[in-house]
Amino acid sequence: MSAGRSFVIVTGMSGAGRSTAAKALEDLGWFVIDNLPPGLLFAMAEEAGKVKLAADKVAAVVDVRSLAFTTDLNAAIEELEARGVGVRVVFLEASDEELVRRFENVRRPHPLQGEGRLVDGIARERGILREVRANADLVIDTSSHNVHELRNKIVAYFGGEDRPGLRVNVVSFGFKYGLPVDADLVVDCRFLPNPHWVPDLRPMNGLDTPVRDYVLGQPGAKEFLDAYEEVLRVVAAGYAREGKSYATLAVGCTGGKHRSVAMAEQVAARLRDRGMEVQVSHRDVGRE
């Protein structure tokens, strides 16, 4: 495989959507092989180069069933990079509760539970994959995604592979529902007055013009956006130097309905004005 090519490894928790992600990549024209032992990654990369597959469109799905998973995977990545192949790791995860629900729905045991409980297998897998997740280039939490939403997210990240630059996902959320676990950066908009306490605005959300105007008209809103835009300029430049291609920015308020939604839209608009490819999602709108 010639220098300059890049290779994507899709991994993560069992039940978190690896097969869905692989199918989405295939639909985008990628060559994908499933359940590949880490020790065979370089051999696959070499074969892909011999048959002249499209550069930057080769991926492998690797799971925890390789008993020496973390050692094998880290060694395989080091070998690929030493031979001039750029490697990007996509890690899929979901909450314990959601993984239990998914395994129970399909009536299958977790691959690592053995004679124990389902939650024991999940806990063991999290421990094995902890280092892999920490070093992943892109972490996607699929807890609240169905297969179509996960597919759309994969397409959003990888559908524009011919366009260089940082691809950003801006997500609004409510702190009372928990932090997005796949966020790279988190900011808090609870310093702004809450439209929830304005009767006419309460039923609306941050996509509605009256709420947006109310939020953006508050003291500190513009100053916050100006300052955060400058922070993101510095961070994006650093990500580029480090070869990071994807970033998830989380913007939170109490319930994820008013302030965070309006501010997330503004952050996304400013990043687009800087020429970045940006996707926006509002995790908790409609949840109350």
Side-chain angles (χ1 to χ4, degrees), residues 11-13 15-18 21 90-99 102 126 133 136 138-147 149-151 153-154 157 169 171 173 177-184 248 250 281 283-284 287:
T11 188
M13 297 295 294
R18 293 189 307 255
V90 178
F91 189 96
L92 301 177
E93 71 160 283
S95 67
D96 287 358
E97 295 77 11
E98 180 60 21
L99 291 175
R102 292 176 186 177
R126 281 204 193 281
R133 185 196 185 283
L138 174 63
V139 177
I140 301 176
D141 179 14
T142 70
S143 301
S144 60
H145 296 342
N146 59 36
V147 293
E149 291 167 333
L150 174 55
R151 182 190 183 283
K153 181 161 282 192
I154 294 294
Y157 281 121
N169 178 40
V171 55
F173 72 97
Y177 301 118
L179 292 172
V181 297
D182 51 354
D184 295 294
T248 297
S281 59
R283 191 190 73 178
D284 297 326
R287 190 166 181 175

Side-chain angles (χ1 to χ4, degrees), residues 61-140:
V61 180
V62 180
D63 68 32
V64 78
R65 283 173 286 184
S66 171
L67 294 181
F69 180 88
T70 52
T71 301
D72 284 355
L73 184 57
N74 290 336
I77 290 173
E78 289 175 1
E79 181 180 12
L80 285 165
E81 292 180 337
R83 302 199 186 194
V85 180
V87 180
R88 292 172 291 169
V89 178
V90 178
F91 189 96
L92 301 177
E93 71 160 283
S95 67
D96 287 358
E97 295 77 11
E98 180 60 21
L99 291 175
V100 168
R101 186 189 69 80
R102 292 176 186 177
F103 275 105
E104 288 181 342
N105 281 347
V106 297
R107 299 183 180 180
R108 293 176 57 191
H110 187 281
L112 296 184
Q113 77 179 78
E115 298 299 319
R117 300 175 302 160
L118 182 56
V119 292
D120 297 329
I122 292 172
R124 184 182 176 197
E125 185 175 35
R126 281 204 193 281
I128 293 172
L129 297 181
R130 186 173 293 113
E131 184 178 352
V132 177
R133 185 196 185 283
N135 294 324
D137 299 281
L138 174 63
V139 177
I140 301 176

Side-chain angles (χ1 to χ4, degrees), residues 13-270:
M13 297 295 294
S14 301
R18 293 189 307 255
S19 295
T20 298
K23 183 63 170 65
L25 288 172
E26 287 178 347
D27 290 345
L28 290 171
W30 288 58
F31 177 77
V32 182
I33 186 168
D34 202 358
N35 296 331
L36 186 72
L40 297 180
L41 284 171
F42 183 73
M44 176 193 167
E46 276 196 319
E47 289 303 310
K50 289 176 183 177
V51 297
K52 299 181 179 179
L53 292 171
D56 299 329
K57 286 186 178 287
V58 182
V61 180
V62 180
D63 68 32
V64 78
R65 283 173 286 184
S66 171
L67 294 181
F69 180 88
T70 52
T71 301
D72 284 355
L73 184 57
N74 290 336
I77 290 173
E78 289 175 1
E79 181 180 12
L80 285 165
E81 292 180 337
R83 302 199 186 194
V85 180
V87 180
R88 292 172 291 169
V89 178
V90 178
F91 189 96
L92 301 177
E93 71 160 283
S95 67
D96 287 358
E97 295 77 11
E98 180 60 21
L99 291 175
V100 168
R101 186 189 69 80
R102 292 176 186 177
F103 275 105
E104 288 181 342
N105 281 347
V106 297
R107 299 183 180 180
R108 293 176 57 191
H110 187 281
L112 296 184
Q113 77 179 78
E115 298 299 319
R117 300 175 302 160
L118 182 56
V119 292
D120 297 329
I122 292 172
R124 184 182 176 197
E125 185 175 35
R126 281 204 193 281
I128 293 172
L129 297 181
R130 186 173 293 113
E131 184 178 352
V132 177
R133 185 196 185 283
N135 294 324
D137 299 281
L138 174 63
V139 177
I140 301 176
D141 179 14
T142 70
S143 301
S144 60
H145 296 342
N146 59 36
V147 293
H148 305 294
E149 291 167 333
L150 174 55
R151 182 190 183 283
N152 290 340
K153 181 161 282 192
I154 294 294
V155 170
Y157 281 121
F158 291 98
E161 285 288 272
D162 294 334
R163 291 169 289 180
L166 184 68
R167 286 182 285 282
V168 180
N169 178 40
V170 181
V171 55
S172 69
F173 72 97
F175 278 96
K176 70 179 182 179
Y177 301 118
L179 292 172
V181 297
D182 51 354
D184 295 294
L185 296 171
V186 177
V187 292
D188 185 355
C189 292
R190 290 176 294 184
F191 69 93
L192 297 169
N194 192 347
H196 175 82
W197 303 115
V198 181
D200 289 344
L201 301 180
R202 182 177 301 177
M204 302 180 188
N205 64 55
L207 296 174
D208 294 311
T209 300
V211 175
R212 181 196 64 199
D213 292 346
Y214 176 87
V215 171
L216 298 181
Q218 298 301 318
K222 182 179 183 302
E223 292 82 355
F224 170 84
L225 289 168
D226 290 344
Y228 193 47
E229 182 180 2
E230 180 60 20
V231 168
L232 294 178
R233 183 190 67 79
V234 175
V235 169
Y239 281 166
R241 288 192 296 271
E242 293 300 313
K244 185 174 176 66
S245 301
Y246 323 100
T248 297
L249 313 180
V251 182
C253 64
T254 303
K257 179 179 179 181
H258 296 111
R259 294 165 290 182
S260 62
V261 173
M263 296 295 274
E265 290 287 337
Q266 292 299 306
V267 169
R270 290 181 177 224

